[in-house]
Amino acid sequence: MLAVQLARLAGNHPYPCDVHLVEPRPVPGPGLAYTARRPEYLLNVRSQFLSAFPDQPDHFQNWLRVTSQEVCEHGFCSRQSYGRYLQQLVSQLLEWPSMNGIRCYWHNQAARAVEVSPSGSSATVRLMDGTELPSTYVVLALGNFPPPYPTTSSTEYRAYPNYHGNPWAQGALRNIGTDDTVLLIGTGLTAVDILLGLQADGHQGLVTTVSGHGRWPAAHQFEGATYPDFYAADLAGVDTVLDVLRVLRRHVREAQKQGIDWRMVVDTLRPHLGQIWATWPQPEQARFLRHLAGIWSVLRHRSPPRNAAIVAAMFAEGQVQQAIGRVKNIEPAANGLVVTVQKGQQPVQQLTAQHVITCTGPLLDYSRIQESVVVGLRETGHLQPDALHLGIETDAHGALLNATGQASGVLFTLGPSRRPAYFESTAVPELRNQAVALAQELGQRLRVTVDAGI
């Protein structure tokens, strides 16, 4: 999206720069989320809200009408359709220069390192095949990383062929037999997708789900009136989690009196979530993460109605059962993997399954990420993980901060890595706005460079 927005920059003169897109996947554009060729994997947001361009809200819907025969139930289309949409946008950039003179090149491999010059005014990106890309600006658009291991008390299970630490890895679940037993760690949107995939494949074996709270994503609901935006009147400047919660509960009660669903109340806050998060001092942010982040995720990141209905039917038919507790240990055994689960101080449970799949969501802590580019920038002090382990420390424009809090003039980031600034930084509406803002910021800097004759 950033490359697309750079190509759309307006100006009185051409931009004398090339954009190099370093992407090792088979095609650029879809990324991890939209690569899977499974029609049962639906977008969790309706198509009317998924245009790549904030100023053209109907762009994706118009693209669907022209290019696809897919019937999107309640407006929820397949992720593979959205992947094709993004792929087409990027392919247009690669075919010819944009109107503003920017040319885009795709390098079908990963980066090995990013080396910032001693002056801090440029950087060199080194690719796996030895190619060097001298760069004025480098943007880390790394997306999400695989989930962390669910337990560190043992490690032997990690190499077990039926332990699936990354459910999105290519071919990760292909060795699951029709009648094999499966255990899912986590009950969020990833777990919903895995259940849908198993059901579509005709899987008949028992599936056990494990999570600390046992909550599943709420289903979207679209009937009824909307609720008026109350941020400016009641929430602007509120700097404690408890006070925000009190205001939200008051409006939910008021909405109920009017026959309006609670979802409509939560949805009015979406444009303001970053402001609410940024207003809280760090101790309040930490309090939210400890006590409310889990239930917020359930209420805010919802499942399409069809998906929720399928999961409910699988529970009703006894194909899925649930255990509540935290995973304490995983050990290989003769008949599969033995997972030790405990809730609070209650006695432990030992659950055995032929396959165990981690569905707990991506690793966010940049102090633990072992990607070579991240490690190199971290060790040289150019990349600072945040104190709450949500992503990368940045300034207001997405420029990386060093150990002394100084903003880089070369290194930028956007997407999930900016969760410390916004908390909500993973869905398309937020990502496209970040892409527009960063493209405009880089465009301004490029114009200064041109005007200075550099």
Side-chain angles (χ1 to χ4, degrees):
M1 282 188 173
L2 178 59
V4 170
Q5 292 298 339
L6 287 168
R8 300 179 84 221
L9 287 173
N12 297 324
H13 50 70
Y15 292 86
C17 79
D18 297 332
V19 173
H20 293 268
L21 190 63
V22 178
E23 171 56 79
R25 294 186 176 89
V27 293
L32 175 64
Y34 311 115
T35 299
R37 301 299 183 191
R38 302 199 65 130
E40 65 271 14
Y41 288 173
L42 300 183
L43 295 159
N44 296 312
V45 178
R46 287 182 292 171
S47 60
Q48 67 193 78
F49 301 112
L50 290 175
S51 168
F53 308 106
D55 59 343
Q56 299 179 45
D58 296 332
H59 192 272
F60 177 51
Q61 287 185 301
N62 290 336
W63 180 89
L64 279 171
R65 279 193 287 269
V66 172
T67 66
S68 176
Q69 301 297 316
E70 180 180 0
V71 177
C72 303
E73 185 178 341
H74 299 295
F76 292 98
C77 300
S78 68
R79 289 188 205 165
Q80 64 179 1
S81 289
Y82 198 68
R84 289 194 296 270
Y85 170 66
L86 296 175
Q87 181 181 341
Q88 185 176 43
L89 291 177
V90 176
S91 67
Q92 293 169 354
L93 300 183
L94 299 173
E95 289 174 3
W96 51 77
S98 63
M99 294 294 291
N100 60 16
I102 286 178
R103 297 175 299 178
C104 188
Y105 300 91
W106 170 37
H107 302 268
N108 188 205
Q109 57 182 301
R112 186 176 65 216
V114 176
E115 299 172 2
V116 179
S117 66
S119 66
S121 61
S122 63
T124 299
V125 179
R126 302 188 186 279
L127 306 186
M128 287 299 184
D129 69 353
T131 299
E132 296 184 359
L133 301 176
S135 306
T136 308
Y137 303 110
V138 176
V139 179
L140 305 179
L142 302 177
N144 285 318
F145 292 88
Y149 290 112
T151 177
T152 57
S153 62
S154 58
T155 59
E156 187 180 353
Y157 71 93
R158 299 178 186 179
Y160 192 76
N162 288 0
Y163 170 70
H164 309 278
N166 179 8
W168 302 116
Q170 188 172 6
L173 311 180
R174 289 178 181 169
N175 65 335
I176 298 178
T178 302
D179 297 313
D180 288 353
T181 54
V182 177
L183 185 143
L184 308 183
I185 302 174
T187 55
L189 290 172
T190 299
V192 172
D193 285 338
I194 299 305
L195 289 178
L196 293 173
L198 291 172
Q199 194 246 17
D201 290 342
H203 181 259
Q204 300 295 318
L206 178 65
V207 179
T208 302
T209 66
V210 177
S211 70
H213 48 70
R215 293 187 290 263
W216 289 80
H220 282 285
Q221 189 176 96
F222 307 109
E223 297 177 359
T226 58
Y227 194 78
D229 190 330
F230 55 94
Y231 172 79
D234 293 343
L235 284 177
V238 176
D239 61 0
T240 71
V241 174
L242 183 58
D243 286 339
V244 170
L245 187 59
R246 285 170 175 162
V247 171
L248 182 59
R249 284 174 168 168
R250 174 163 57 84
H251 280 279
V252 167
R253 290 193 297 269
E254 179 60 32
Q256 288 175 335
K257 293 177 185 177
Q258 301 175 36
I260 299 174
D261 188 79
W262 61 266
R263 295 167 180 82
M264 303 299 106
V265 180
V266 171
D267 289 350
T268 64
L269 295 181
R270 178 161 189 168
H272 313 295
L273 293 175
Q275 296 163 286
I276 294 171
W277 173 260
T279 300
W280 291 339
Q282 192 174 99
E284 287 297 309
Q285 293 176 344
R287 183 172 289 112
F288 173 82
L289 294 175
R290 284 196 307 272
H291 301 295
L292 291 176
I295 192 167
W296 172 254
S297 180
V298 167
L299 300 177
R300 166 70 184 81
H301 299 285
R302 300 174 208 139
S303 187
R306 189 184 81 181
N307 290 4
I310 291 173
V311 171
M314 295 177 76
F315 269 99
E317 294 165 3
Q319 188 178 355
V320 181
Q321 65 180 16
Q322 185 157 285
I324 298 177
R326 300 193 178 278
V327 173
K328 298 296 184 180
N329 192 44
I330 303 176
E331 292 284 353
N335 55 343
L337 288 159
V338 178
V339 181
T340 302
V341 177
Q342 186 174 28
K343 180 182 179 182
Q345 300 302 313
Q346 296 180 11
V348 300
Q349 288 180 274
Q350 288 196 324
L351 307 171
T352 301
Q354 291 166 280
H355 297 265
V356 172
I357 307 171
T358 298
C359 304
T360 51
L363 175 62
L364 307 174
D365 185 357
Y366 269 73
S367 67
R368 298 170 58 190
I369 290 169
Q370 296 305 306
E371 186 86 14
S372 61
V373 166
V374 173
V375 172
L377 291 173
R378 190 172 62 215
E379 291 180 346
T380 54
H382 295 292
L383 183 155
Q384 298 297 314
D386 75 300
L388 297 178
H389 312 295
L390 294 175
I392 300 175
E393 293 279 12
T394 64
D395 74 357
H397 301 297
L400 271 61
L401 303 182
N402 63 18
T404 63
Q406 182 180 5
S408 172
V410 177
L411 302 174
F412 294 81
T413 190
L414 76 167
S417 57
R418 296 208 66 194
R419 282 173 63 96
Y422 300 113
F423 184 68
E424 294 281 354
S425 191
T426 56
V428 168
E430 286 77 32
L431 299 184
R432 68 186 178 196
N433 289 335
Q434 289 183 34
V436 170
L438 184 52
Q440 292 173 346
E441 176 65 23
L442 294 178
Q444 290 174 2
R445 297 186 186 213
L446 287 168
R447 283 195 291 271
V448 170
T449 300
V450 172
D451 293 341
I454 301 175

